Amino acid sequence: MRNPPFTMFGPPITFLGVDACDLDDPAGYADADVVILGAPLDGGTTYRSGARFGPSAVRQACYLPQDGSRPSLALRVDALKDLKVYDAGDVALYSGDIARSVEQIEAAVFKIAASGAVPIVLGGDHTIAWPDHTGVARHFGFGRVAMIHFDAHADTGDSQFGSLIAHGTPMRRLLESGALRGDRFLQIGLRGYWPDEPILEWMAQQRIRSFEMTEIVERGLDDCLTEAADIALDDCEGVFLSVDIDVVDPGAAPGTGTPEPGGLSPRQLLDAVRRLCYELPVLGLDLVEVSPPLDHADVTALLGNRVILEALSAIARRRKDQRDGTAWDRHEPLLHGRGADEQLSRIASGRVRGHTHTAGEGH
């Protein structure tokens, strides 16, 4: 690791031990595929705070060494080695000046996007989605970057307690600015008892596509993701993923400020992020609302860490397949091609006790 990065709340470490970089020294990350950035802001919360500690927790939430290597069993890549991944540390933010903070975050994200790297931003509360997406859109063009937004809440409020800048308003600010088109804004996992009817009417006028959990349960998450991906790629350069950890049921991810029962499972979120980052040109991503003071046994931080790893691994596999003309086979057994083919052949033919197989039988 190069010189330790600046981090506001926690040890000066990088995400799982990748090399550090300084955004003021473009030569230091000129070869970057991905740059990770911390945005430790929770001044936009309206209920329980603590997400300012999220970047530090997500960076180190793993039982394996901080050695800059994580081979993916499923995708057969080591994203932290196959990609050039740097960690720029945290943006130095003063939570008492939220307007200045969002300007600083936007400037930092723009630097990363303009360098040709994919910015991955560790929040922080969801206020940061406004500057995160805007920073990417400044490079690729306003209205040219779709968003797929995982969240229990729509975050399309006009104001909260008299403030236009809050974690319940970033998506309205994005749409009002023109950085994001309403008809290329897809929301996954909404549920509960907010927003109210006037906000829902405004959302409909913007042609937002919102998948509430009842629809997801009835149709299946894969079907909804297919629809969202098809819309997102139409007339856009690529996609920004904004992942609020409260899209997951709080029974599995309790460390968040506004928990809403009845969400996705961790498995569903990880599979969804992996799929989208493999199938779509992802231009940026943020992970928000991980609040370590509210967590239990680090389970929410661990999930946040794995969301980032799934995204990185899928991006690495997508680039490998594009380069080599290969394709990731989701049905391939874990040990296929690893010296176990004879045993797998015996299982497939039914020659191993406890395994039966007949022609045409499903797996």
Side-chain angles (χ1 to χ4, degrees), residues 147-150 186 188 221-222 224-230 232-233 239-243 269-282 285 310-311 314-315 318 328 330:
M147 178 184 280
I148 298 180
H149 167 212
F150 290 87
L186 300 310
I188 307 288
L221 179 58
D222 275 346
C224 295
L225 289 175
T226 298
E227 180 184 337
D230 288 345
L233 280 188
V239 179
F240 187 99
L241 298 187
S242 189
V243 181
L269 177 60
L270 294 173
D271 285 345
V273 169
R274 177 201 290 173
R275 175 186 169 184
L276 294 175
C277 289
Y278 179 71
E279 295 181 1
L280 305 180
V282 172
L285 180 150
E310 287 296 317
I315 291 170
R318 173 183 172 87
W328 175 45
R330 293 168 173 80

Side-chain angles (χ1 to χ4, degrees), residues 124-140:
D125 71 50
H126 220 153
T127 305
I128 70 168
W130 175 27
D132 292 344
H133 184 281
T134 301
V136 174
R138 278 177 56 191
H139 176 63
F140 289 97

Side-chain angles (χ1 to χ4, degrees), residues 69-252:
S69 175
R70 287 297 184 275
S72 168
L73 291 177
L75 288 153
R76 299 188 175 217
V77 292
D78 186 340
L80 301 187
K81 289 187 174 297
D82 296 343
L83 299 174
K84 288 299 296 183
V85 182
Y86 293 95
D87 191 330
D90 293 344
V91 183
L93 303 175
Y94 175 57
S95 290
D97 189 345
I98 195 168
R100 179 185 174 194
S101 292
V102 297
E103 290 176 0
Q104 292 174 275
I105 295 168
E106 180 186 327
V109 173
F110 173 70
K111 279 186 179 181
I112 296 169
S115 77
V118 176
I120 292 184
V121 187
L122 311 178
D125 71 50
H126 220 153
T127 305
I128 70 168
W130 175 27
D132 292 344
H133 184 281
T134 301
V136 174
R138 278 177 56 191
H139 176 63
F140 289 97
F142 272 33
R144 303 295 299 164
V145 181
M147 178 184 280
I148 298 180
H149 167 212
F150 290 87
D151 206 328
H153 310 99
D155 292 352
T156 50
D158 182 38
S159 67
Q160 292 194 293
F161 303 111
S163 177
L164 296 175
I165 308 174
H167 72 163
T169 67
M171 306 313 177
R172 184 172 289 224
R173 301 289 87 84
L174 278 169
L175 269 63
E176 289 176 339
S177 72
L180 175 62
R181 289 170 49 177
D183 61 351
R184 296 296 178 270
F185 179 33
L186 300 310
Q187 300 183 303
I188 307 288
L190 303 190
R191 60 189 187 275
Y193 303 90
W194 185 87
D196 56 16
E197 191 61 30
I199 296 176
L200 294 173
E201 287 289 343
W202 181 87
M203 291 168 60
Q205 292 167 11
Q206 310 311 307
R207 299 171 63 192
I208 297 170
R209 179 65 171 98
S210 301
F211 297 86
E212 193 265 343
M213 279 303 300
T214 304
E215 179 182 359
I216 291 171
V217 170
E218 289 300 311
R219 291 179 55 186
L221 179 58
D222 275 346
D223 193 25
C224 295
L225 289 175
T226 298
E227 180 184 337
D230 288 345
I231 295 171
L233 280 188
D234 184 20
D235 194 33
C236 281
E237 299 294 327
V239 179
F240 187 99
L241 298 187
S242 189
V243 181
D244 187 326
I245 206 69
D246 75 16
V247 74
V248 173
D249 190 274

